[in-house]
């Protein structure tokens, strides 16, 4: 089981490929942003804080029932985004220093981070629609940030 868990870190979104005899088959795409477990503080630094794409950070615990209910909802919604946003899972029992640093007072807690900055925060078990709306806001804000940066680049080229 741990081998499957370790191998899953190499892959990204799970996408439905096709239905064969009524059974859905899934393909994992490596070219998109990953859904991954944070292994170390250095891993968090490299894959979350330095990410140019928005990253949803899911602070959870193995003993937390709402966390277990939230996880598949998050994974499905992030998978729908087709690489626009990433999902980093942080176990607060293994990485209490990260939970303390980001002032996680309850689990599940979700943060949206981009370029090292916390853009948005959500706590507790949420409906799928509430999570989808929250993520859509993060993706929209990313597009606005990118558009402003592109406009700034155009201005500096012609100055």
């Amino acid at each position: 089981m741990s081998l499957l868990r370790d191998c899953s870190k190499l892959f990204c979104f799970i996408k439905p490929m096709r239905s064969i005899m009524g059974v859905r088959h899934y393909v994992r795409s490596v070219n998109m942003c990953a859904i991954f477990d944070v292994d170390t503080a250095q891993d968090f630094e490299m894959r979350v804080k330095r990410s140019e794409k928005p990253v949803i950070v899911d602070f959870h615990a193995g003993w937390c029932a709402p966390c277990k209910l939230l996880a598949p909802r998050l994974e499905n919604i992030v998978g729908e985004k087709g690489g626009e946003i990433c999902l980093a899972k942080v176990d607060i029992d293994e990485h209490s220093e990260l939970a303390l640093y980001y002032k996680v007072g309850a689990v599940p807690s979700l943060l949206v981070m981009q370029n090292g900055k916390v853009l948005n925060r959500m706590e507790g078990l949420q409906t799928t629609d509430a999570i989808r709306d929250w993520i859509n806001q993060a993706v929209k804000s990313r597009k606005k940030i990118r558009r402003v940066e592109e406009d700034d680049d155009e201005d500096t080229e012609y100055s």
Side-chain angles (χ1 to χ4, degrees), residues 107-119:
V107 286
S109 285
L110 304 174
L111 305 178
V112 177
M113 294 183 68
Q114 184 175 8
N115 294 320
K117 297 179 183 175
V118 177
L119 304 177

Side-chain angles (χ1 to χ4, degrees), residues 145-159:
I145 291 168
R146 187 185 316 146
R147 202 172 308 124
V148 168
E149 289 172 351
E150 288 171 357
D151 290 344
D152 289 344
D153 290 343
E154 289 175 7
D155 292 342
T156 56
E157 286 179 21
Y158 300 110
S159 321

Side-chain angles (χ1 to χ4, degrees), residues 22 26 34 38-40 50 52 78 83 91 109 117 155:
Y26 293 88
V38 172
D39 294 323
T40 64
R50 294 185 183 179
E52 293 180 6
V78 169
D91 188 322
S109 285
K117 297 179 183 175
D155 292 342

